[in-house]
Amino acid sequence: MKKSKRSIFSIFKKFSPKKIEKKSLSSDQYKTYFYDSAKPVWMSRNYGKFADEGYIRNVIANRCASMIAKNISSIKIKLFENNSEKKFEIKNHPLLNIIRFPNPATNGNLFREALFSHRLISGNSYILAVKNSAGIPLELYTLRPDRISITTDRSGFVTSYIYKGTDKEIRYSVDKLTGQSDVLHLKNFHPLDDHFGLSPIEPAAYSIDQHNQAAQWNQSLLQNGAKPSGALVIKPQNEGGMGSLTDEQYTRIKRQMEEEFSGHNNAGKPMLLEGGLDWKEMSLSPRDMDFISSKHNSAREIALAFGVPPQLLGIPGDNTYSNLIEARLELWEQTILPLAEEYISALNHWLTPMFNNDDLELDIENIPALLPRRESLWKRVNESSFISEEEKRRLVGMGD
């Protein structure tokens, strides 16, 4: 009972540096007592592999990520006052200026495209705010996810973000009470990680590998001169064959194989065998592997992981959507708008309080892909006889 009533100070005193020297604790034990509160945590997945094999080398994953990022970056952002019952749009404001031109090296569209491309590749994206002496952001920059580590306290709460560049390391602290920091972290949900998001490439990794290997198979076949994969087998003499080849026969058959049955011009040309020769396949043919169907299935699964309708990628055999208009509408409603709205919500929580208490909103009324949904809404509102004109205007997103 006496041991259980010891103060925290007495327990800490037991493991003071002087005591540690006497007891000769290992370096790991020393770190456990003193450095757990600021231990860097790195993303366990390999961002370089995701970027190389997923985004750079796979046409389906690249197209999915590019389509989502470019469409999000094309949405216009508006600013409204929120200190009155009626909404008033603000046309000119420093906050709008930094949204449109985050830094001298890029514009708002390219900035958001890079931001969401990082998130779609790694599951994480970061924005750095460079402030003046008054704490007002002057510029915004995207940070590469593979250069970011996170430090946490004993409870698992983030205490700082560490950016490690080529020649230096910069630490950006996080306020424990408000959670505010110069760095905004946007991430996907991950069921097994408290600090980093899940990349869409990870659940699609097997399909991406299969799709890449199918392309490599084609490339290897062409690089090898489209040579058939197999072997010429000589039957023994008791079975009607020659038993063995002379040097002249061996040279002639080898030259015949290279000249008449190799290369893309001779692909599919029938082979005439004589003298008891027999051809034995040593690998599966594309037809045996159901090559085309397998490649399309892999592409379909990659698109599914990113939330892109396969029909928009030109994958044949998909009849889920009656036409491209419905597929585009599905892409915007199920994938693009949720990501864009999450981004605006994060900016309203992190960026707008540094300027004022106004609200940023997406200008979804001018998105061409959402025109069918907007026309349906206008038709229903216009045909409603039990609501006033002002209520109709509010329902369609217009002011009084």
Side-chain angles (χ1 to χ4, degrees):
M1 292 296 295
K2 291 182 179 180
K3 291 183 179 180
S4 63
K5 291 184 178 180
R6 288 183 301 171
S7 65
I8 295 176
F9 177 78
S10 65
I11 296 174
F12 182 81
K13 186 176 179 181
K14 179 181 178 183
F15 297 106
S16 62
K18 187 178 292 185
K19 295 289 184 180
I20 290 172
E21 291 177 2
K22 291 182 179 180
K23 292 193 174 187
S24 300
L25 295 179
S26 67
S27 60
D28 290 339
Q29 288 175 305
Y30 187 88
K31 290 178 182 178
T32 299
Y33 291 114
F34 292 97
Y35 298 111
D36 272 356
S37 60
K39 185 177 181 181
V41 181
W42 289 91
M43 187 174 66
S44 60
R45 274 76 59 202
N46 192 324
Y47 175 82
K49 281 285 186 181
F50 287 171
D52 180 36
E53 297 184 10
Y55 188 81
I56 297 176
R57 294 173 54 191
N58 189 273
V59 63
I60 302 298
N62 178 284
R63 180 56 180 158
C64 288
S66 298
M67 186 183 300
I68 295 171
K70 287 181 180 295
N71 280 317
I72 291 179
S73 66
S74 68
I75 305 175
K76 294 183 179 179
I77 298 176
K78 294 183 176 182
L79 182 65
F80 293 90
E81 290 185 3
N82 66 355
N83 56 358
S84 62
E85 295 181 357
K86 296 182 179 180
K87 291 174 59 175
F88 294 98
E89 183 180 357
I90 303 174
K91 298 289 187 179
N92 297 311
H93 195 277
L95 177 57
L96 288 177
N97 294 337
I98 200 172
I99 292 293
R100 294 165 183 163
F101 299 98
N103 59 70
T106 187
N107 58 43
N109 287 9
L110 294 177
F111 176 87
R112 290 190 292 275
E113 182 180 349
L115 182 72
F116 282 96
S117 295
H118 282 316
R119 180 168 177 178
L120 291 167
I121 295 172
S122 72
N124 304 270
S125 58
Y126 302 88
I127 304 177
L128 170 64
V130 179
K131 303 177 183 178
N132 59 16
S133 57
I136 304 298
L138 299 178
E139 296 175 355
L140 300 177
Y141 291 89
T142 58
L143 303 178
R144 267 179 48 176
D146 58 325
R147 295 178 175 176
I148 296 289
S149 64
I150 294 175
T151 60
T152 62
D153 58 17
R154 291 179 181 271
S155 301
F157 291 101
V158 177
T159 57
S160 65
Y161 295 95
I162 301 175
Y163 178 80
K164 190 172 184 179
T166 55
D167 57 348
K168 62 180 179 179
E169 185 176 286
I170 307 175
R171 182 184 297 266
Y172 302 100
S173 61
V174 179
D175 192 298
K176 288 187 177 181
L177 296 178
T178 63
Q180 289 295 313
S181 172
D182 290 344
V183 174
L184 174 63
H185 182 190
L186 301 172
K187 63 179 181 178
N188 299 334
F189 170 73
H190 196 304
L192 302 178
D193 199 315
D194 296 330
H195 308 295
F196 296 100
L198 178 67
S199 167
I201 293 179
E202 191 161 354
Y206 286 118
S207 299
I208 290 175
D209 287 342
Q210 292 170 9
H211 200 271
N212 288 344
Q213 288 168 6
Q216 291 173 3
W217 191 92
N218 279 337
Q219 182 69 7
S220 298
L221 187 63
L222 293 174
Q223 289 178 345
N224 291 330
K227 295 179 181 179
S229 179
L232 284 174
V233 180
I234 305 172
K235 292 182 179 181
Q237 293 181 351
N238 58 4
E239 295 182 9
M242 294 181 294
S244 62
L245 296 176
T246 63
D247 291 342
E248 182 181 354
Q249 290 172 326
Y250 176 82
T251 303
R252 181 174 65 86
I253 292 177
K254 185 178 179 180
R255 184 176 64 252
Q256 186 180 12
M257 288 286 295
E258 291 178 351
E259 294 177 356
E260 299 183 15
F261 300 104
S262 297
H264 60 275
N265 291 329
N266 296 321
K269 188 176 180 180
M271 186 181 297
L272 178 62
L273 303 177
E274 58 180 334
L277 293 176
D278 186 22
W279 174 257
K280 296 293 185 182
E281 288 281 351
M282 297 183 65
S283 63
L284 294 175
S285 67
R287 184 175 182 180
D288 295 332
M289 296 169 57
D290 199 9
F291 185 79
I292 300 299
S293 177
S294 176
K295 189 175 181 181
H296 288 163
N297 286 336
S298 298
R300 202 171 288 112
E301 291 174 353
I302 296 170
L304 180 65
F306 281 92
V308 176
Q311 189 179 12
L312 297 178
L313 302 174
I315 303 174
D318 293 291
N319 299 319
T320 305
Y321 303 96
S322 60
N323 50 49
L324 287 175
I325 296 178
E326 290 186 12
R328 290 180 63 199
L329 184 61
E330 184 75 9
L331 171 65
W332 276 87
E333 290 185 337
Q334 299 296 327
T335 303
I336 295 175
L337 285 182
L339 283 174
E341 289 170 355
E342 180 186 338
Y343 167 69
I344 290 297
S345 177
L347 289 185
N348 282 329
H349 178 73
W350 174 71
L351 184 63
T352 56
M354 302 179 192
F355 290 89
N356 47 36
N357 292 321
D358 297 326
D359 285 331
L360 294 169
E361 292 186 10
L362 299 172
D363 184 15
I364 62 176
E365 297 299 322
N366 295 316
I367 299 176
L370 300 180
L371 182 60
R373 187 181 72 170
R374 189 160 58 251
E375 289 178 345
S376 176
L377 174 63
W378 280 53
K379 183 179 180 180
R380 292 199 308 270
V381 170
N382 187 49
E383 293 176 353
S384 300
S385 58
F386 55 88
I387 56 179
S388 64
E389 291 296 325
E390 288 191 357
E391 290 174 329
K392 291 181 179 180
R393 292 177 63 87
R394 295 193 197 103
L395 286 174
V396 298
M398 301 176 65
D400 293 337

